[in-house]
Amino acid sequence: MTHARLTVLVGPSGVGKGTVVSALKERHPELVVSVSATTRDPRPGEEHGVNYLFITEEEFDELLRNDGLLEWAQVFGGNRYGTPRGPVEEHLAAGRPVLLEIDLEGARQVRLAMPEAQLVFLAPPSWEELERRLIGRGTETPEQQQRRLTTARTELAAQAEFDTTVVNDDVERAAMELAALMGLK
Ligand code: ADP
Ligand code: 5GP
């Protein structure tokens, strides 16, 4: 069995990462999307082990001590998020392509740890459309939205570090482009 490739998807909050990845999973149930660990509280409807592993600060420290995370970052100045190393390595070794949906700092760590990983940036069709989507989603307070938009400027400025940019103009089209990049048939 050949060792499959790791793909990292990064994009500003509200660009549609979750939406595009759901569309991709629907077409390709064989795709493994890594479940991150986070210290943030679940939002209504989110499930432990499905959306995230919701863990305490102490449990996160323990994972770090045991080298249990492939990468991690403190996102939007608050909670910590990280990718559990074991499942990613096991799926790749078994020949299953794995997708990580993480932030820019995490992507930079993956590039150093696994130079063979493919880094894909998901970009909005325009800045105005990004604002519309983030605000329209309505899951953050106006202060949190502003913080995410400030971070978005940094993320958009880092696009050149990525192997490829996919524009999320249309969910199905963007999902198909991502599937092709990952070699999913
Ligand atoms: P992210 O995971 O990147 O933070 P979401 O997947 O939550 O973003 O999407 C943010 C909002 O934008 C949601 O309301 C979603 O329905 C909407 N959205 C996502 N992709 C598109 C698209 N291609 N066209 C229009 N709206 C979109
Ligand atoms: P949210 O709280 O909206 O689910 O996610 C906030 C941010 O955390 C998003 O930009 C997302 O990409 C990032 N994120 C989620 N999981 C991870 C992870 O495992 N590692 C890193 N570095 N960032 C993550």
Side-chain angles (χ1 to χ4, degrees), residues 36 40 43 52 71 73 75-76 81-83 102-103 106 148:
S36 297
R40 86 151 160 76
R43 297 186 187 127
Y52 283 103
E71 61 73 37
V75 181
F76 306 126
Y81 295 75
T83 302
I102 60 177
D103 86 327
R148 284 169 184 238

Side-chain angles (χ1 to χ4, degrees), residues 37 53 55 58-69 84:
L53 300 165
I55 63 173
E58 292 70 30
E59 287 167 332
F60 203 97
D61 288 339
E62 179 76 13
L63 275 175
L64 284 177
R65 257 198 310 277
N66 298 332
D67 198 25
L69 297 176

